Amino acid sequence: MPVARVKICGLTDENAARMAASAGADAIGLVFYPPSKRYVTTSQAASIASAIPPFVQRVGLFVNETKEAVERIKDTVQLDLLQFQGGESPEYCESFNFPYIKALQMKPGVDITESFKAFPNARAFLLDTYHPDQHGGIGETFNWDEFPDYSDKPLILAGGLNPDNVQDAIKACQPYAVDVSSGVESGPGIKSTEKMQAFVRSAKSIEVMS
């Protein structure tokens, strides 16, 4: 049966990355945004990425970073996918000639489908909870009734997900994938093996429409 893919974001050490992959995660996220509690340096990220087995994607999360820094990190860490979490323009995102996903905040009153049109070459869109000052990782859900019921690109659901609510989230939104960070932690940036296992198990036990 078709099931939602799972991305576990904000990995900060090799063991947690191995445990995420072992739990069944389809992708892991590495945060290259210094203000984040889950920030990793390029060398740390390279070590974490090297611990990931084949067929698990390495996603690099950036927030309004310089093009030079993204290029350097992308090549050094050998990322599979870029995730732009800030106010990056379509021209900026396209300039890398590399697969990327664009994160969009679900700001009340904003037609998110208009934002889809601005990034026609994005591989997918990640929809996250709106916050005026933060770029993800706040551990709060948004109104799932506002999740678009159609897009010509895969949609990734993020924002406040955890092992207890991910099944309800998937039933309500029917996303291509779900993204979790703080919801599988025992502390900021410290991933819990048990919570990661429970999250993946719950997420992959729910069928989604293909």
Side-chain angles (χ1 to χ4, degrees), residues 24-166:
D26 301 285
I28 63 103
L30 299 165
V31 177
F32 300 102
Y33 181 53
S36 172
K37 297 173 183 176
R38 301 164 187 90
Y39 168 73
V40 288
T41 65
T42 306
S43 60
Q44 287 174 319
S47 296
I48 295 169
S50 67
I52 299 299
F55 308 120
V56 177
Q57 282 199 308
R58 304 160 176 84
V59 184
L61 185 154
F62 299 91
V63 179
N64 303 324
E65 186 54 88
T66 65
K67 188 174 189 301
E68 294 74 18
V70 175
E71 291 281 15
R72 174 178 51 79
I73 293 169
K74 170 177 70 70
D75 294 338
T76 302
V77 182
Q78 297 186 338
L79 297 173
D80 300 304
L81 191 66
L82 304 177
Q83 177 177 328
F84 295 119
Q85 195 82 15
E88 298 87 358
S89 69
E91 294 76 18
Y92 172 91
C93 295
E94 300 292 339
S95 69
F96 298 95
N97 294 312
F98 198 79
Y100 76 91
I101 60 177
K102 185 68 182 77
L104 302 170
Q105 292 192 344
M106 298 293 288
K107 187 176 182 178
V110 173
D111 183 0
I112 202 71
T113 58
E114 287 301 309
S115 298
F116 294 165
K117 298 175 184 177
F119 298 88
N121 295 316
R123 293 296 179 91
F125 292 102
L126 183 146
L127 305 185
D128 203 352
T129 304
Y130 170 74
H131 190 283
D133 303 312
Q134 297 186 40
H135 301 277
I138 63 174
E140 298 177 7
T141 61
F142 60 86
N143 183 357
W144 295 331
D145 290 338
E146 297 176 357
F147 195 88
D149 57 9
Y150 172 77
S151 170
D152 61 356
K153 297 293 178 67
L155 299 180
I156 303 165
L157 175 63
L161 299 180
N162 58 57
D164 295 325
N165 69 8
V166 68

Side-chain angles (χ1 to χ4, degrees), residues 166-188:
V166 68
Q167 289 191 359
D168 290 336
I170 292 172
K171 289 176 183 177
C173 301
Q174 294 290 301
Y176 169 80
V178 289
D179 186 299
V180 66
S181 185
S182 61
V184 291
E185 292 181 342
S186 57

